[in-house]
Coordinates of all heavy atoms in Angstrom, one line a residue:
R1 N 3.4 -2.1 10.9 CA 2.9 -2.0 9.5 C 3.3 -0.6 9.1 O 3.4 0.3 9.8 CB 1.4 -2.2 9.5 CG 1.0 -3.5 10.0 CD -0.4 -3.8 9.7 NE -0.6 -5.2 10.2 CZ -1.7 -5.8 10.2 NH1 -2.7 -5.2 9.6 NH2 -1.9 -7.0 10.7
S2 N 3.4 -0.5 7.8 CA 4.0 0.7 7.2 C 3.4 0.9 5.8 O 2.8 0.1 5.2 CB 5.5 0.7 7.2 OG 5.9 -0.3 6.3
A3 N 3.8 2.1 5.3 CA 3.5 2.4 3.9 C 4.8 2.8 3.2 O 5.8 3.1 4.0 CB 2.5 3.6 3.8
H4 N 4.9 2.7 2.0 CA 6.1 3.0 1.2 C 5.9 4.1 0.2 O 4.9 4.0 -0.6 CB 6.7 1.8 0.6 CG 7.0 0.6 1.5 ND1 8.1 0.6 2.3 CD2 6.2 -0.5 1.8 CE1 8.1 -0.5 3.0 NE2 6.9 -1.2 2.7
M5 N 6.8 5.1 0.2 CA 6.7 6.2 -0.7 C 8.0 6.2 -1.5 O 9.1 6.3 -1.0 CB 6.5 7.5 -0.1 CG 5.1 7.6 0.6 SD 4.6 9.2 1.2 CE 4.5 10.1 -0.3
G6 N 7.9 6.2 -2.9 CA 9.0 6.2 -3.7 C 9.7 7.6 -3.8 O 9.1 8.6 -3.4
L7 N 10.9 7.6 -4.2 CA 11.7 8.8 -4.3 C 11.0 9.9 -5.1 O 10.5 9.6 -6.2 CB 13.1 8.5 -5.0 CG 14.1 9.6 -5.1 CD1 14.6 10.0 -3.7 CD2 15.2 9.2 -5.9
G8 N 11.0 11.1 -4.5 CA 10.4 12.2 -5.2 C 8.9 12.3 -5.2 O 8.3 13.2 -5.8
S9 N 8.2 11.3 -4.6 CA 6.7 11.3 -4.5 C 6.3 12.4 -3.5 O 7.0 12.8 -2.6 CB 6.2 10.0 -4.1 OG 6.7 9.6 -2.9
V10 N 5.1 13.0 -3.8 CA 4.6 14.1 -2.9 C 3.2 13.7 -2.5 O 2.4 13.4 -3.4 CB 4.6 15.4 -3.7 CG1 4.0 16.5 -2.9 CG2 6.0 15.7 -4.2
A11 N 2.8 13.9 -1.3 CA 1.5 13.8 -0.8 C 1.0 15.2 -0.4 O 1.6 15.8 0.5 CB 1.4 12.9 0.4
L12 N 0.1 15.7 -1.1 CA -0.5 17.1 -0.9 C -1.3 17.1 0.4 O -1.8 16.1 0.9 CB -1.3 17.5 -2.1 CG -0.5 17.7 -3.4 CD1 -1.4 18.1 -4.5 CD2 0.7 18.7 -3.2
P13 N -1.4 18.3 1.0 CA -2.2 18.4 2.2 C -3.6 17.8 2.0 O -4.3 18.0 1.1 CB -2.3 19.9 2.5 CG -1.1 20.4 1.8 CD -0.9 19.6 0.6
G14 N -4.0 17.0 3.0 CA -5.3 16.4 3.0 C -5.2 14.9 2.4 O -6.2 14.2 2.5
A15 N -4.1 14.6 1.8 CA -4.0 13.2 1.2 C -3.5 12.3 2.4 O -2.7 12.7 3.2 CB -2.9 13.2 0.2
F16 N -4.2 11.1 2.5 CA -3.8 10.2 3.6 C -3.3 8.9 3.0 O -4.0 8.3 2.1 CB -5.1 9.9 4.4 CG -4.9 9.0 5.5 CD1 -4.2 9.4 6.7 CD2 -5.3 7.7 5.5 CE1 -4.0 8.6 7.8 CE2 -5.1 6.8 6.5 CZ -4.4 7.3 7.6
I17 N -2.1 8.5 3.4 CA -1.6 7.3 2.9 C -1.7 6.2 4.0 O -1.1 6.3 5.0 CB 0.0 7.4 2.6 CG1 0.3 8.7 1.8 CG2 0.5 6.2 1.9 CD1 -0.4 8.7 0.5
D18 N -2.6 5.2 3.7 CA -2.9 4.2 4.7 C -1.8 3.1 4.8 O -0.9 3.1 4.0 CB -4.3 3.6 4.4 CG -5.1 3.2 5.7 OD1 -4.4 2.9 6.7 OD2 -6.3 3.3 5.6
E19 N -2.0 2.2 5.8 CA -0.9 1.2 6.0 C -0.9 0.2 4.8 O -1.9 0.0 4.1 CB -1.2 0.4 7.3 CG -2.5 -0.3 7.3 CD -2.8 -1.0 8.6 OE1 -2.2 -0.6 9.6 OE2 -3.6 -1.9 8.6
R20 N 0.3 -0.3 4.5 CA 0.6 -1.3 3.4 C 0.4 -0.6 2.0 O 0.4 -1.4 1.1 CB -0.2 -2.5 3.6 CG 0.1 -3.3 4.8 CD -0.6 -4.7 4.9 NE -2.0 -4.6 4.6 CZ -3.0 -4.6 5.6 NH1 -2.6 -4.6 6.8 NH2 -4.3 -4.5 5.2
A21 N 0.2 0.6 1.9 CA 0.1 1.3 0.6 C 1.4 1.5 0.1 O 2.4 1.7 0.8 CB -0.7 2.6 0.8
V22 N 1.5 1.6 -1.3 CA 2.8 1.9 -2.0 C 2.5 3.0 -2.9 O 1.6 2.9 -3.7 CB 3.3 0.6 -2.7 CG1 4.5 0.9 -3.5 CG2 3.5 -0.5 -1.8
V23 N 3.4 4.0 -2.9 CA 3.3 5.2 -3.8 C 4.5 5.2 -4.7 O 5.7 5.1 -4.2 CB 3.2 6.5 -3.0 CG1 3.2 7.7 -3.9 CG2 2.0 6.5 -2.0
G24 N 4.3 5.2 -6.0 CA 5.4 5.1 -6.9 C 6.3 6.3 -6.9 O 5.8 7.4 -6.5
A25 N 7.5 6.2 -7.4 CA 8.5 7.3 -7.4 C 7.9 8.4 -8.3 O 7.4 8.2 -9.4 CB 9.8 6.9 -8.0
G26 N 8.0 9.7 -7.9 CA 7.5 10.8 -8.6 C 6.0 11.0 -8.6 O 5.6 12.0 -9.3
A27 N 5.3 10.2 -7.9 CA 3.8 10.4 -7.9 C 3.4 11.6 -7.1 O 4.1 12.0 -6.2 CB 3.2 9.1 -7.4
V28 N 2.2 12.1 -7.5 CA 1.7 13.2 -6.7 C 0.3 12.7 -6.2 O -0.6 12.5 -7.0 CB 1.5 14.5 -7.6 CG1 0.8 15.6 -6.8 CG2 2.8 15.0 -8.1
V29 N 0.2 12.5 -4.9 CA -1.0 12.0 -4.3 C -1.9 13.1 -3.9 O -1.5 14.0 -3.1 CB -0.7 11.1 -3.0 CG1 -1.9 10.5 -2.4 CG2 0.3 10.0 -3.4
L30 N -3.1 13.1 -4.4 CA -4.1 14.2 -4.2 C -5.2 13.8 -3.2 O -5.8 14.6 -2.5 CB -4.8 14.6 -5.5 CG -3.9 15.1 -6.6 CD1 -4.7 15.3 -7.8 CD2 -3.1 16.3 -6.2
H31 N -5.5 12.5 -3.1 CA -6.5 11.9 -2.3 C -6.0 10.8 -1.4 O -4.8 10.4 -1.5 CB -7.7 11.5 -3.1 CG -8.2 12.5 -4.1 ND1 -9.0 13.5 -3.6 CD2 -8.1 12.7 -5.4 CE1 -9.3 14.3 -4.6 NE2 -8.8 13.8 -5.8
A32 N -6.9 10.2 -0.6 CA -6.5 9.1 0.3 C -6.2 7.9 -0.6 O -6.7 7.6 -1.6 CB -7.7 8.8 1.2
V33 N -5.2 7.1 -0.1 CA -4.7 5.8 -0.7 C -5.1 4.7 0.4 O -4.7 4.7 1.5 CB -3.2 5.8 -0.9 CG1 -2.8 4.5 -1.6 CG2 -2.8 7.0 -1.8
R34 N -6.0 3.8 -0.1 CA -6.5 2.8 0.8 C -5.4 1.8 1.2 O -4.4 1.7 0.4 CB -7.7 2.0 0.1 CG -8.9 2.9 -0.2 CD -10.0 2.1 -0.8 NE -9.5 0.9 -1.5 CZ -9.7 0.7 -2.8 NH1 -10.4 1.5 -3.5 NH2 -9.2 -0.4 -3.3
P35 N -5.7 1.0 2.2 CA -4.6 0.0 2.6 C -4.3 -1.0 1.5 O -5.3 -1.5 0.9 CB -5.3 -0.7 3.8 CG -6.4 0.2 4.3 CD -6.8 1.0 3.1
G36 N -3.1 -1.3 1.3 CA -2.7 -2.3 0.3 C -2.8 -1.9 -1.1 O -2.6 -2.8 -2.0
V37 N -3.0 -0.7 -1.4 CA -3.2 -0.2 -2.8 C -1.9 0.4 -3.3 O -1.2 1.1 -2.5 CB -4.3 0.8 -3.0 CG1 -4.4 1.4 -4.3 CG2 -5.6 0.1 -2.6
T38 N -1.5 0.1 -4.5 CA -0.3 0.7 -5.1 C -0.8 1.8 -6.1 O -1.6 1.5 -6.9 CB 0.5 -0.4 -5.9 OG1 0.9 -1.4 -5.0 CG2 1.7 0.2 -6.6
V39 N -0.2 3.0 -5.9 CA -0.6 4.1 -6.8 C 0.7 4.7 -7.5 O 1.8 4.5 -7.0 CB -1.3 5.2 -6.1 CG1 -2.6 4.7 -5.5 CG2 -0.5 5.8 -5.0
A40 N 0.5 5.3 -8.6 CA 1.6 5.9 -9.4 C 1.0 6.9 -10.3 O -0.2 6.9 -10.7 CB 2.4 4.9 -10.1
G41 N 1.9 7.9 -10.7 CA 1.5 8.8 -11.7 C 1.2 10.2 -11.2 O 1.3 10.5 -10.0
V42 N 1.0 11.2 -12.1 CA 0.6 12.5 -11.8 C -0.6 12.9 -12.5 O -0.7 13.0 -13.7 CB 1.8 13.5 -12.3 CG1 1.4 15.0 -11.9 CG2 3.1 13.1 -11.6
P43 N -1.7 13.0 -11.8 CA -1.9 12.6 -10.4 C -1.9 11.1 -10.1 O -2.1 10.4 -11.1 CB -3.4 13.2 -10.1 CG -4.0 13.1 -11.4 CD -3.0 13.4 -12.4
A44 N -1.7 10.7 -8.9 CA -1.5 9.3 -8.6 C -2.9 8.6 -8.8 O -3.9 9.0 -8.4 CB -1.1 9.1 -7.1
R45 N -2.8 7.4 -9.5 CA -4.0 6.6 -9.8 C -3.6 5.2 -9.3 O -2.5 4.7 -9.4 CB -4.3 6.6 -11.3 CG -4.7 7.9 -11.8 CD -5.4 7.9 -13.1 NE -6.0 9.1 -13.4 CZ -5.5 10.0 -14.3 NH1 -4.3 9.7 -14.9 NH2 -6.1 11.1 -14.5
P46 N -4.7 4.4 -8.9 CA -4.5 3.0 -8.5 C -3.9 2.1 -9.6 O -4.4 2.2 -10.7 CB -5.8 2.6 -8.0 CG -6.6 3.8 -7.9 CD -6.0 4.8 -8.8
L47 N -3.0 1.3 -9.3 CA -2.4 0.3 -10.2 C -2.8 -1.1 -9.8 O -3.1 -1.9 -10.6 CB -0.9 0.4 -10.4 CG -0.4 1.7 -10.9 CD1 1.2 1.6 -10.9 CD2 -0.9 2.0 -12.3
R48 N -2.7 -1.3 -8.5 CA -2.9 -2.7 -8.0 C -3.5 -2.6 -6.6 O -3.1 -1.8 -5.8 CB -1.6 -3.5 -8.0 CG -1.7 -4.8 -7.4 CD -0.4 -5.5 -7.4 NE -0.1 -5.9 -8.8 CZ 1.0 -6.5 -9.1 NH1 2.0 -6.6 -8.3 NH2 1.3 -6.8 -10.4
D49 N -4.4 -3.6 -6.3 CA -4.9 -3.7 -4.9 C -4.5 -5.0 -4.3 O -5.0 -6.0 -4.7 CB -6.5 -3.6 -5.0 CG -7.1 -3.5 -3.6 OD1 -6.4 -3.7 -2.6 OD2 -8.3 -3.3 -3.5
R50 N -3.6 -5.0 -3.4 CA -3.1 -6.2 -2.8 C -3.7 -6.5 -1.4 O -3.3 -7.4 -0.7 CB -1.5 -6.0 -2.5 CG -0.7 -5.8 -3.8 CD 0.7 -5.6 -3.5 NE 0.9 -4.5 -2.6 CZ 1.7 -4.5 -1.5 NH1 2.3 -5.6 -1.2 NH2 1.8 -3.5 -0.7
S51 N -4.7 -5.7 -1.0 CA -5.2 -5.8 0.4 C -5.8 -7.2 0.6 O -5.7 -7.7 1.6 CB -6.3 -4.7 0.6 OG -7.3 -4.8 -0.4
K52 N -6.5 -7.7 -0.4 CA -7.2 -9.0 -0.2 C -6.2 -10.2 0.0 O -6.3 -11.0 0.8 CB -8.2 -9.3 -1.3 CG -9.3 -8.4 -1.2 CD -10.3 -8.6 -2.3 CE -11.4 -7.5 -2.3 NZ -12.2 -7.5 -3.5
S53 N -5.1 -10.1 -0.9 CA -4.1 -11.2 -0.9 C -3.3 -11.1 0.4 O -3.0 -12.1 1.0 CB -3.2 -11.1 -2.1 OG -2.5 -9.9 -2.1
I54 N -3.0 -9.9 0.9 CA -2.2 -9.8 2.1 C -3.0 -10.2 3.3 O -2.5 -10.9 4.2 CB -1.8 -8.3 2.3 CG1 -0.7 -7.9 1.2 CG2 -1.2 -8.1 3.7 CD1 -0.3 -6.5 1.2
L55 N -4.3 -9.8 3.4 CA -5.1 -10.3 4.5 C -5.3 -11.8 4.6 O -5.2 -12.4 5.7 CB -6.5 -9.6 4.4 CG -6.5 -8.1 4.7 CD1 -7.9 -7.5 4.5 CD2 -6.0 -7.8 6.1
S56 N -5.4 -12.4 3.4 CA -5.5 -13.9 3.4 C -4.2 -14.6 3.9 O -4.3 -15.5 4.6 CB -6.0 -14.4 2.1 OG -4.9 -14.2 1.1
L57 N -3.1 -14.0 3.5 CA -1.8 -14.5 4.0 C -1.6 -14.4 5.5 O -1.1 -15.2 6.2 CB -0.7 -13.9 3.3 CG -0.5 -14.3 1.8 CD1 0.6 -13.4 1.2 CD2 -0.1 -15.7 1.7
E58 N -2.1 -13.2 6.0 CA -2.0 -12.9 7.4 C -2.8 -13.9 8.3 O -2.5 -14.4 9.3 CB -2.4 -11.5 7.8 CG -1.3 -10.5 7.4 CD -1.7 -9.1 7.6 OE1 -2.9 -8.8 8.0 OE2 -0.9 -8.2 7.5
E59 N -4.0 -14.2 7.7 CA -4.9 -15.2 8.4 C -4.3 -16.6 8.4 O -4.5 -17.3 9.4 CB -6.3 -15.2 7.7 CG -7.0 -13.9 8.0 CD -8.3 -13.8 7.1 OE1 -8.6 -14.8 6.3 OE2 -9.0 -12.8 7.2
Q60 N -3.6 -16.9 7.4 CA -3.0 -18.3 7.3 C -1.8 -18.5 8.1 O -1.4 -19.5 8.5 CB -2.7 -18.6 5.8 CG -3.9 -18.7 4.9 CD -3.5 -18.9 3.5 OE1 -2.3 -19.0 3.1 NE2 -4.5 -18.9 2.6
S61 N -1.1 -17.4 8.3 CA 0.2 -17.5 9.0 C 0.0 -17.7 10.5 O -1.0 -17.4 11.1 CB 1.1 -16.2 8.8 OG 0.6 -15.2 9.7
D62 N 1.0 -18.3 11.1 CA 0.9 -18.6 12.6 C 1.8 -17.6 13.4 O 2.2 -17.8 14.5 CB 1.4 -20.0 12.9 CG 2.8 -20.3 12.4 OD1 3.4 -19.3 11.8 OD2 3.3 -21.4 12.6
G63 N 2.0 -16.4 12.8 CA 2.7 -15.3 13.4 C 4.2 -15.2 13.0 O 4.8 -14.3 13.4
R64 N 4.7 -16.3 12.3 CA 6.0 -16.2 11.9 C 6.1 -15.6 10.5 O 5.1 -15.7 9.7 CB 6.6 -17.6 11.8 CG 6.8 -18.3 13.2 CD 7.4 -19.6 13.1 NE 6.5 -20.5 12.3 CZ 6.9 -21.6 11.6 NH1 8.2 -21.9 11.6 NH2 6.0 -22.3 11.0
S65 N 7.2 -15.1 10.1 CA 7.4 -14.5 8.8 C 7.4 -15.6 7.8 O 8.1 -16.7 8.0 CB 8.7 -13.7 8.7 OG 9.0 -13.4 7.4
P66 N 6.7 -15.5 6.6 CA 6.7 -16.5 5.6 C 8.1 -16.7 5.0 O 8.3 -17.7 4.3 CB 5.7 -16.0 4.6 CG 5.6 -14.6 4.8 CD 5.9 -14.3 6.3
L67 N 9.0 -15.8 5.2 CA 10.3 -15.9 4.6 C 11.3 -16.6 5.4 O 12.4 -16.9 5.0 CB 10.9 -14.5 4.2 CG 10.0 -13.7 3.3 CD1 10.6 -12.3 3.1 CD2 9.8 -14.3 1.9
V68 N 11.0 -16.9 6.7 CA 11.8 -17.5 7.6 C 11.3 -18.9 7.9 O 10.1 -19.1 8.3 CB 12.0 -16.7 8.9 CG1 12.9 -17.4 9.9 CG2 12.5 -15.3 8.7
S69 N 12.2 -19.9 7.7 CA 11.7 -21.3 8.0 C 12.2 -21.8 9.3 O 13.0 -21.3 10.0 CB 12.0 -22.2 6.9 OG 13.3 -22.0 6.4

């Protein structure tokens, strides 16, 4: 599992980027970003929370990638 940070984004000391989080390009992260949350802006603010939809997909899958048949 991983997190994604856009080009030019900055996480200041003390900011924690959790798994499956997405940080938009040029964002300045001041605080913790929860799992599955997309943030953007200066300062970074939440845009979307994908954590519930991702967890439900993981529970439904049988271990194979949904993109591979």
Side-chain angles (χ1 to χ4, degrees):
R1 300 192 183 181
S2 63
H4 300 280
M5 292 188 67
L7 182 68
S9 60
V10 176
L12 295 180
F16 181 76
I17 313 298
D18 214 329
E19 63 184 22
R20 297 186 309 263
V22 178
V23 178
V28 177
V29 181
L30 304 175
H31 303 288
V33 179
R34 295 185 334 241
V37 173
T38 300
V39 298
V42 179
R45 293 196 171 103
L47 298 178
R48 176 180 288 174
D49 186 352
R50 300 177 304 130
S51 59
K52 293 177 185 169
S53 61
I54 290 174
L55 290 175
S56 66
L57 288 174
E58 287 177 351
E59 290 171 359
Q60 294 172 5
S61 76
D62 58 359
R64 293 182 296 153
S65 172
L67 301 177
V68 179
S69 42

